[in-house]
Structure formats: C-alpha cells, structure tokens
C-alpha cells in the first residue's frame, strides 16, 4: 500500500464520518439543542467538504509513491492493537494492575525483546512507579478488580 | 531586602528546590499536569508555614512547565499539553542525534521566559491587571479565533493547508463529545459516564502522540534506532545556534502577555509563540523537521505564562489559567484573599513568593543543564522496552 492510497482511504473514512455526524443532528430535540445542531452541522459540512476537496486533489496527482512500511511486521502491529484493546476492555473487570502486569511483558516479548530480567525489572518498575505516584502520593483512584 | 532574606533561609531554599525538582519530575510524566500536582498538594501545605507552602507550590508550577518538554523532545510524548509545540521540533532533533542540544535550548528558553514573566509580575502586576479587566467575551472570542488561525501557519509543503484545516476541524469535532454547554444534554457519549465531561485533553494527547509512536515502532520492518556514535558525538559540544535569543525573547513576551489574559493557558501561549517564530524565521522549511527556533519560542512561551498568569490571579483574584486557580486556592486557605491587600497587608508573604519564582527558574536551569546528557541517552533504549 502506498502513502497516496492510505491517504485516500482515510479521506474516504472522513467523508463517511462527516455524513454520519450531519445525519445524527436530526435527533437533536428542543430549541437549545436545535441551536447547537447548527454548529455540529457546520463542523460536519466543513469536515466533509475539506475531505472531499483533499480527496479530489489526491486523485488528480499521479506521482508514483514508494510502498509504505507501515505493516512490515503485520503480526506485531495488529497484535499490539489487539493487546491495547484487550488491555482497555479488561479494566472494568480486572482493574488496572492485573492487566498491566500481563500486558507489559507480553508486549515486550511480542516486539522481540527476550531478556526476562530486563522485562521483569521494567514491568515491576512501571507498576511500582504507578502505585507510588498515583495511589500513594496523589491519591488517584485507579480502576480496581470487580471481584475485590 | 527582608523579603529576599525570607527566601534565602535554609527552609525557604529547600522548599523551592524540592518543589521545583518535584515539578520537573511531575511535568516529565505524561498524564501528570502542573494543575493536578498543585491542586492535590494544596491541602498538604495547610499545616506548613504559608510562605514555605506557597514557595513549594510555586516551584512545582515553574518546574512542571519546563519538565513537560523533556519527554516531548526525547519520546515525542508531551509531558504537559503546553509542550505539544516543543515535540513538533524537539523529537525530529532527537532522531537526528541532537537531543541534547534540543534539551539545552528548551531549558534555557524556559528559564528566559520564566524569569522575564516573573520580572513583569514583580514590576507591573497592578497596572497590567487593570488592563486585563478590559478583556471581555468579545476579546476572548477574537483570541480563540487567532489561535485557530494559527493552524494555517503549521501547514508546510508536506502537510498542505487543507490537511492542517482538516486536523483543526477534527479537533473541534472531538470537542463536541460530552455535555452540550447550551442545552445540558449529552452528545455522543454512547452511554458512558466517562465521556460526560468530554474527552479530556491529556488522554487525547497521549493517544495521538504516544500510541502512534508505539504502533509505528511495532509495525516497522526495520527499527529506526538512533546511532549511538552520532549521539555521543553530539553530546560533546554543540553550541547554541546563533540568533536563538531573538526567538526566546519573542516567546517570553508572547507567553507573558497571553498568561496575563484570564483563562488563556500555556498551550495557547506556546503555539502562538511557535507560529510567530515560524513566520519570523528565515529557515521556514526547517520547521517540522527539527528547527531549534521553534523549541526556543514555544518553551519561552509556555514558561512565560507562569509569571503572566499570576498577574490577574494575585491582583484581581481572576486566575490566569487552571494552575493559577489551584495556586489561588492555596493563598485563600492561608487567609490571603487575592487583591490589593496581597501587596500591602500580606506583602511579607507575597513578595517572598514572587522572589522564590526567580530561584525556581535558576533551580530548573541547573537541573536541566546537568541532567541533559543523561536524559538524551533515553533515545538509545530498545524500542520494545520504550513501548512498555
């Protein structure tokens, strides 16, 4: 996939997003909401319009781009995306520390790092740092496990 | 002189040093902002001597504003929202093995911006506060418009004007998520209580900068690590670029003025300063690719806000920004109501606090200069560990 193709795909997505945003304002009820709907429609039209113009410019350009090295290691890339999603989703039931203790070393391993001592130490340091700074010092309420 | 003597006691100096170093560390941690740190530590100063407590908080404010630039330059992850403009130029410099120079420029510019703004606070506070009172909704609207117009100057040959405008509108679209300010109804929250207040600036920033960085590292077939020898070489000696002082002065002035205006934060100050620097620079094509002028202006701009934001806070009781609002809370819990009385009845506490901000600037300058060579080596950490 070239840079230009990726740009066009993203711009196409933007146009769809703008249309959906515009349509969503139909459900705004009441006088006050109708007023803010005008603003949201303005944003949708601006976004969709700018995306369309940029897409047209992009289609007119006929330069030959080098293929992007974006997914050179697709397994790693999508593995990381999946890991991030799982990490975020598990917050509700497992809290912060349990998923973090699994996610951090798993990601390091997936990215090709194999030194267990460094992985263990850096994971421990991150978790300890979060605990000391956020919970002990700043009294921030991090998500805790649902069963706790 | 007696006010200065209060600062130069062992207790006073320790308060400033501890506060500033803690501020640098807090600012350097993405997700922790100066507002959060000052706000959370205000109750702890309740039992302290008022002057020492205020000096500690002032140190945190000044230190955190500088600290935000460290991860922005080294990791492309701004420690505070005000360091976004710094990341645009600082990270490319780090990738070129010039991270140490970028850190040096950042700390010197922060020092210059911070010192200038505190000097303005000391000399002109009552007069400038009276001017700031004339700044009504119409002027605030115009300033917001000016900030949005700044998007245009970020555009260059690679990122076309259209793309810059698209990014701006996308940002405005993200801001419509949450409670509608006019009707109070919820918009695009998808039933999540976490989205009622909208998408907070800091998570959006971390998502846009750090996550992209992580995914880029993960997806690359060949990792783009910095050559250690290049980094070593650049650590030896790279003098400050000629004419950089001009951009620091520009940022200092812009940051101080923006800071004085109620409600305008360091992020706007940094971006405005950055845009002015880009317009003024003869090497416009270097912006976005590692222009030291951009770092100098942005960092002087956000630290210029420190003294500037305290002008309306101390003289009128109108906080210049959110950190100043938290600081105002500290003044109030110590029985010092912002206003003219602060400079007359409570002068023995207010002036030592202002003088201590000069010391805080010197402290982070020394810390920044001395640890920069070690910090620059962060760029050599293996990507797998960095992603953690």
């Amino acid at each position: 996939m070239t840079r230009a193709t990726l740009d066009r795909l993203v711009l196409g997505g933007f146009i769809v997003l703008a249309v959906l945003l515009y349509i969503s304002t139909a459900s705004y009820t009441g006088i006050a909401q109708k007023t803010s709907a005008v603003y949201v429609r303005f944003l949708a039209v601006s976004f969709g319009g700018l995306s369309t113009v940029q897409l047209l410019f992009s289609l007119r350009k006929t330069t030959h781009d080098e293929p992007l090295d974006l997914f050179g290691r697709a397994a790693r890339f999508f593995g990381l995306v999946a890991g991030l999603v799982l990490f975020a989703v598990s917050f509700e039931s497992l809290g912060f520390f349990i998923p973090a203790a699994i996610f951090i070393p798993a990601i390091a391993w997936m990215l090709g790092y194999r030194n267990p001592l460094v992985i263990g130490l850096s994971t421990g340091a991150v978790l300890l740092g979060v605990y000391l700074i956020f919970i002990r010092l700043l009294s921030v309420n991090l998500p805790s496990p649902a069963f706790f | 002189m007696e006010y200065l003597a209060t600062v130069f006691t062992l207790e006073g100096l320790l308060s400033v040093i501890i506060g500033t170093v803690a501020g640098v560390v807090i600012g350097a941690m993405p997700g922790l902002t100066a507002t959060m740190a000052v706000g959370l530590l205000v109750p702890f100063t309740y039992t302290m001597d008022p002057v020492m407590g205020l000096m500690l908080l002032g140190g945190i404010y000044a230190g955190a504003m500088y600290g935000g630039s460290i991860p922005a330059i080294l990791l492309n992850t701004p420690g505070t929202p005000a360091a976004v403009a710094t990341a645009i130029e600082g990270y490319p410099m780090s990738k070129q093995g010039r991270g140490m120079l970028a850190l040096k420029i950042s700390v010197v510019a922060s020092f210059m911006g911070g010192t200038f703004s505190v000097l303005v606070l000391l000399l002109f506070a009552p007069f400038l506060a009276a001017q700031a009172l004339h700044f009504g909704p119409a002027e605030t609207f115009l300033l917001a418009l000016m900030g949005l117009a700044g998007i245009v100057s970020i555009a260059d040959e690679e990122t076309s004007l259209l793309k810059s405008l698209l990014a701006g509108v996308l940002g405005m679209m993200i801001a419509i998520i949450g409670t509608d300010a006019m009707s109070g109804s919820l918009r695009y929250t998808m039933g999540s209580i976490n989205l009622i207040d909208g998408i907070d600036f800091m998570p959006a920033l971390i998502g846009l900068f750090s996550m992209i960085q992580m995914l880029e590292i993960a997806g690359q077939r060949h990792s783009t690590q910095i050559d250690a020898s290049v980094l070593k070489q650049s650590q030896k000696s790279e003098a400050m670029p000629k004419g950089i002082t001009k951009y620091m002065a520009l940022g200092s002035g812009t940051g101080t003025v923006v800071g004085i205006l109620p409600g305008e934060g360091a992020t706007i100050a940094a971006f405005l300063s950055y845009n002015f620097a880009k317009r003024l620079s003869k090497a416009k094509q270097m912006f976005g690719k590692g222009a030291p002028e951009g770092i100098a202006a942005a960092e002087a701009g956000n630290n210029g806000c420190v003294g500037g934001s305290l002008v309306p806070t101390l003289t009128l009781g109108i906080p210049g920004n959110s950190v100043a609002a938290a600081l105002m809370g500290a003044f109030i819990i110590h029985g010092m109501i912002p206003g003219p009385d602060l400079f007359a009845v409570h002068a023995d506490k207010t002036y030592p606090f202002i003088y201590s901000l000069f010391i805080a600037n010197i402290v982070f300058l020394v810390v920044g200069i001395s640890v920069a060579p070690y910090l620059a080596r962060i760029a050599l950490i293996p990507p797998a560990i960095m992603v953690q």
Side-chain angles (χ1 to χ4, degrees), chain B residues 22-87:
Chain B
V24 173
V25 174
I26 289 166
M29 290 181 180
L32 292 185
T33 61
T35 314
M36 196 179 182
V38 173
L40 286 163
L41 288 175
V42 164
F44 290 100
T45 64
Y46 187 68
T47 50
M48 289 174 76
D49 176 80
V51 187
M52 300 305 147
L54 290 172
M55 289 199 295
L56 182 88
L57 295 174
I60 290 176
Y61 186 10
M65 207 51 86
Y66 154 66
S69 70
I70 299 170
I73 290 168
L74 298 172
L75 308 170
N76 200 22
T77 302
T80 56
V84 174
T86 308

Side-chain angles (χ1 to χ4, degrees), chain A residues 7 21 24 28 33 36 47 50-51 54 57 69-70 72-73 76-77 81 104 108 113 122 133-134 138, chain B residues 29 32 40 160 162-163 166 169-170 173 176 180 183 185 187-188 214-215 218-221 384-385 387-388:
Chain A
D7 273 0
L21 186 67
S24 73
Y28 284 26
Q33 281 214 60
S36 46
F47 195 62
L50 286 167
S51 302
Q54 180 65 33
F57 278 142
D69 188 22
L70 193 62
R73 289 184 171 176
R76 272 186 179 194
F77 182 87
V81 174
I104 296 172
Y113 206 75
S122 55
I133 295 165
F134 286 91
L138 300 176
Chain B
M29 290 181 180
L32 292 185
L40 286 163
S160 68
L162 268 175
K163 281 185 184 172
L166 262 173
V169 180
L170 185 62
M173 277 166 54
I176 61 175
D180 180 2
S183 64
S185 53
R187 289 194 303 215
Y188 312 109
M214 280 171 72
L215 293 171
Q220 277 169 352
R221 201 185 304 270
I385 297 296
V387 168
Q388 287 187 356

Side-chain angles (χ1 to χ4, degrees), chain B residues 5-374:
Chain B
T6 311
V7 182
F8 285 101
T9 56
L10 180 66
E11 204 185 355
L13 285 174
L14 269 177
S15 298
V16 183
I17 293 169
I18 292 171
T20 312
V21 174
V24 173
V25 174
I26 289 166
M29 290 181 180
L32 292 185
T33 61
T35 314
M36 196 179 182
V38 173
L40 286 163
L41 288 175
V42 164
F44 290 100
T45 64
Y46 187 68
T47 50
M48 289 174 76
D49 176 80
V51 187
M52 300 305 147
L54 290 172
M55 289 199 295
L56 182 88
L57 295 174
I60 290 176
Y61 186 10
M65 207 51 86
Y66 154 66
S69 70
I70 299 170
I73 290 168
L74 298 172
L75 308 170
N76 200 22
T77 302
T80 56
V84 174
T86 308
I88 298 171
E89 302 303 333
Y91 187 62
M93 281 185 76
S94 275
K95 286 213 289 192
Q96 294 156 17
R98 300 174 75 201
M100 182 165 161
L101 176 66
L103 287 169
K104 205 159 78 175
I105 293 169
S106 140
V107 73
V108 174
S110 298
F111 169 76
M112 207 165 144
T115 307
F116 176 75
S117 70
V118 178
L119 198 65
V120 170
L121 169 70
L122 187 66
L123 300 177
F124 307 109
F127 169 74
L128 291 171
Q131 297 304 313
L133 262 188
H134 298 300
F135 214 78
E139 288 81 4
T140 308
F141 173 75
L142 279 175
L143 191 78
L145 215 57
M146 194 174 150
L148 286 172
I151 294 169
V152 174
S153 61
I154 293 172
D156 55 24
E157 286 169 17
E158 208 174 313
T159 55
S160 68
L161 178 61
L162 268 175
K163 281 185 184 172
S164 302
L165 289 173
L166 262 173
V169 180
L170 185 62
M172 289 164 80
M173 277 166 54
I174 291 171
I176 61 175
I177 296 169
T179 310
D180 180 2
M182 291 182 77
S183 64
S185 53
L186 300 177
R187 289 194 303 215
Y188 312 109
T189 57
M190 294 171 286
S192 168
I193 52 165
N194 297 315
L195 290 174
I196 287 176
D197 282 338
I199 294 181
D200 204 24
F201 199 61
M202 213 52 216
L205 206 65
I206 293 172
L208 285 169
F209 280 82
S210 310
M211 293 300 167
I212 288 173
Q213 196 70 24
M214 280 171 72
L215 293 171
E216 203 177 318
I217 291 171
Q220 277 169 352
R221 201 185 304 270
H222 311 288
S223 60
T224 51
Q225 283 188 47
I226 293 168
D227 182 2
S229 60
V230 174
L231 189 69
K232 248 181 197 169
Q233 201 183 353
S234 73
Q235 281 180 351
K236 277 182 188 167
S237 65
E238 198 172 353
M240 296 280 271
K242 276 184 186 168
I244 199 87
T245 322
K246 186 170 68 178
Y247 297 95
M248 291 181 189
L250 176 79
S252 304
T254 309
T256 306
V257 171
V258 173
I260 291 169
L261 306 175
E264 309 309 332
T267 313
I268 295 176
F271 265 108
L272 277 180
S273 307
Y274 176 80
N275 291 335
F276 288 153
K278 193 176 176 182
R279 286 183 179 281
L280 202 73
S281 175
K282 283 173 187 155
K284 286 187 182 64
Q285 74 282 358
M286 283 307 294
F287 274 73
K289 293 168 191 151
E293 296 90 344
I295 300 176
E299 277 306 302
N302 65 33
N303 271 76
C305 251
V306 174
S309 66
L310 290 172
V311 172
T313 310
L314 300 187
T315 54
L316 302 170
I318 302 169
N321 59 27
S322 53
V323 196
L327 260 174
M328 195 170 85
F331 274 90
I332 292 168
I333 65 164
H334 286 293
M336 299 155 71
I337 306 299
D341 277 0
L342 223 51
F343 293 87
V345 181
H346 300 292
D348 58 330
K349 299 180 191 81
T350 308
Y351 281 107
F353 165 70
I354 296 173
Y355 287 133
S356 76
L357 291 173
F358 286 111
I359 309 294
N361 282 303
I362 295 168
V363 171
F364 76 64
L365 178 72
V366 173
V367 170
I369 296 273
S370 52
V371 300
Y374 307 102

Side-chain angles (χ1 to χ4, degrees), chain A residues 13-98:
Chain A
F14 280 176
I15 294 168
V16 173
L17 181 67
V19 171
L20 289 175
L21 186 67
Y22 191 95
I23 293 168
S24 73
T25 58
S27 63
Y28 284 26
T29 51
I31 295 168
Q33 281 214 60
K34 291 274 182 223
T35 314
S36 46
V38 176
Y39 171 65
V40 178
R41 277 186 207 130
F42 162 75
L43 288 179
V45 170
S46 306
F47 195 62
L50 286 167
S51 302
T52 309
V53 175
Q54 180 65 33
L55 184 62
L56 289 174
F57 278 142
S58 173
L59 288 170
R60 274 180 59 187
K61 254 203 288 188
T62 50
T63 50
H64 296 286
D65 287 348
E66 288 287 311
L68 274 179
D69 188 22
L70 193 62
F71 307 118
R73 289 184 171 176
R76 272 186 179 194
F77 182 87
F78 291 109
L80 184 59
V81 174
L84 283 168
V85 172
L86 273 175
F87 183 51
V89 168
S90 58
F91 267 18
E92 197 110 333
S93 52
L94 296 174
F96 171 77
F97 285 100
I98 298 171

